[in-house]
């Protein structure tokens, strides 16, 4: 290394990483056990050393400049690598860790039933699963991979489509018989419908969109119940509380067991569940092994032509 090339202090980079991750100097100071002025001074000193601004100061907070975003990606990956290596050094038994982010519905209805074969595949690895209803964000996650619902476009990540969005109305067999064996889209308009909260912008199919795709207008007279978790929506359907939109393959186990039956036509969109991997880690032997297993499991449900055959990198 040239004598004229001097890296900033590690502590300054750690302060920058926290501030860039939160986009808020006060939140960064709370995480670091410091003060907002101290964080601001550290950032100013780092900017002076580099000779370029890293943040744009605005009335309601800060945003990263283009240079700041580039530095954040490098510093974040480097600090995570240092942290993981220190964890290994300090551990008496050095075990790899695989962190998977997904949503509660996918974790409960698809991933957890497959944990045993996954752990047999990687017996010396600790598998950690975390759930969130929010769209996956590389900035907010330390996951090695994620299974996220959407369009698969996550900057800085590699995306492989596991399942397309295939949605079919479902209800319990008792509810089906008690309401005159509803099987048409129009017959569902007068039945209680079970909902998830509708995010803005919409991330998944909702009842309004489903009816419109059947050339029907649900209007404002539809009876509905809203739950904040998909697992609650499905449990309410099993208990005969109404009709739910069933995402496949999440509800396939309940259709196979007879706890739920279909009661309307299936609808499919271009969205779906994607396997998301941060590009710096996507080629690690562990990630590649788990990725291949997940893709095989996905293909056991749907033929190759129904999934995306090639991965896409988003940078």
């Amino acid at each position: 290394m040239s004598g004229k090339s001097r890296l900033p202090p590690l502590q300054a980079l750690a302060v920058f990483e926290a501030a860039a991750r939160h986009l808020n100097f006060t939140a960064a100071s709370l995480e670091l056990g410091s003060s907002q002025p101290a964080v601001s001074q550290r950032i100013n000193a780092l900017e002076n050393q580099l000779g370029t601004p890293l943040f744009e100061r605005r009335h309601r907070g800060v945003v990263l400049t283009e240079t700041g975003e580039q530095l954040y990606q490098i510093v974040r990956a480097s600090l995570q690598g240092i942290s993981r290596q220190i964890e290994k050094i300090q551990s008496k038994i050095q075990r790899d860790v695989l962190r998977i982010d997904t949503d509660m519905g996918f974790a409960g209805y698809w991933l957890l039933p497959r944990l045993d074969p996954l752990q047999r595949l990687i017996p010396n690895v600790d598998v950690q699963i975390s759930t969130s209803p929010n769209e996956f964000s590389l900035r907010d996650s330390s996951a090695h991979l994620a299974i996220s619902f959407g369009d698969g476009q996550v900057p800085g990540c590699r995306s492989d489509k596991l399942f397309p969005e295939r949605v079919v109305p479902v209800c319990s067999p008792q509810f089906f018989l008690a309401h005159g064996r509803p099987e048409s889209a129009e017959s569902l308009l007068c039945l209680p419908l079970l909902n998830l909260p509708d995010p803005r912008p919409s991330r998944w199919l909702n009842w309004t969109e489903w009816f419109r795709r059947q050339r029907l207008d649900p209007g404002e007279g539809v009876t509905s119940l809203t739950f904040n978790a998909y697992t609650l929506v499905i449990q309410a359907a099993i208990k005969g509380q109404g009709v739910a939109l069933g995402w496949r393959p999440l509800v396939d186990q309940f259709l196979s067991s007879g706890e739920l039956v279909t009661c309307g036509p299936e609808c499919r969109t271009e969205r779906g569940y994607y396997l998301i991997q941060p590009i710096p880690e996507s080629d690690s032997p562990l990630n590649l092994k788990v990725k291949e297993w997940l893709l095989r499991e996905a293909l056991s449900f749907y033929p190759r032509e129904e999934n995306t055959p090639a991965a896409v990198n988003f940078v």
Side-chain angles (χ1 to χ4, degrees), residues 201-258:
S202 182
R203 287 179 52 211
W204 48 73
L205 196 74
N206 56 29
W207 275 113
T208 298
E209 184 181 352
W210 185 87
F211 278 116
R212 286 174 179 167
R213 285 171 177 258
Q214 312 304 321
R215 296 185 174 85
L216 293 170
D217 182 2
E220 298 182 357
V222 175
T223 303
S224 66
L225 294 170
T226 300
F227 302 86
N228 68 350
Y230 189 59
T231 51
L232 297 178
V233 172
I234 294 304
Q235 286 304 308
I238 291 173
K239 297 296 184 182
Q241 299 299 312
V243 182
L245 288 174
W247 272 262
R248 306 189 68 181
L250 304 191
V251 299
D252 283 9
Q253 59 179 305
F254 303 110
L255 295 174
S256 297
S257 68

Side-chain angles (χ1 to χ4, degrees), residues 99-171:
R99 297 182 179 91
I100 304 174
D101 279 2
T102 189
D103 59 59
M104 182 66 76
F106 194 90
Y109 292 147
W110 196 88
L111 188 56
L112 288 182
R114 291 166 175 76
L115 271 188
D116 284 346
L118 175 58
Q119 290 183 314
R120 287 195 297 270
L121 178 74
I122 48 175
N124 297 317
V125 177
D126 291 331
V127 178
Q128 299 177 358
I129 298 174
S130 60
T131 64
S132 169
N134 301 320
E135 194 168 9
F136 176 78
S137 168
L138 181 61
R139 179 188 301 279
D140 300 329
S141 175
S142 60
H144 298 97
L145 59 86
I147 301 169
S148 182
F149 187 87
D151 59 11
Q153 299 187 35
V154 182
C157 292
R158 176 190 174 98
S159 298
D160 292 271
K161 196 171 190 178
L162 294 177
F163 304 108
E165 183 176 35
R166 294 178 58 176
V167 184
V168 62
V170 295
C171 64

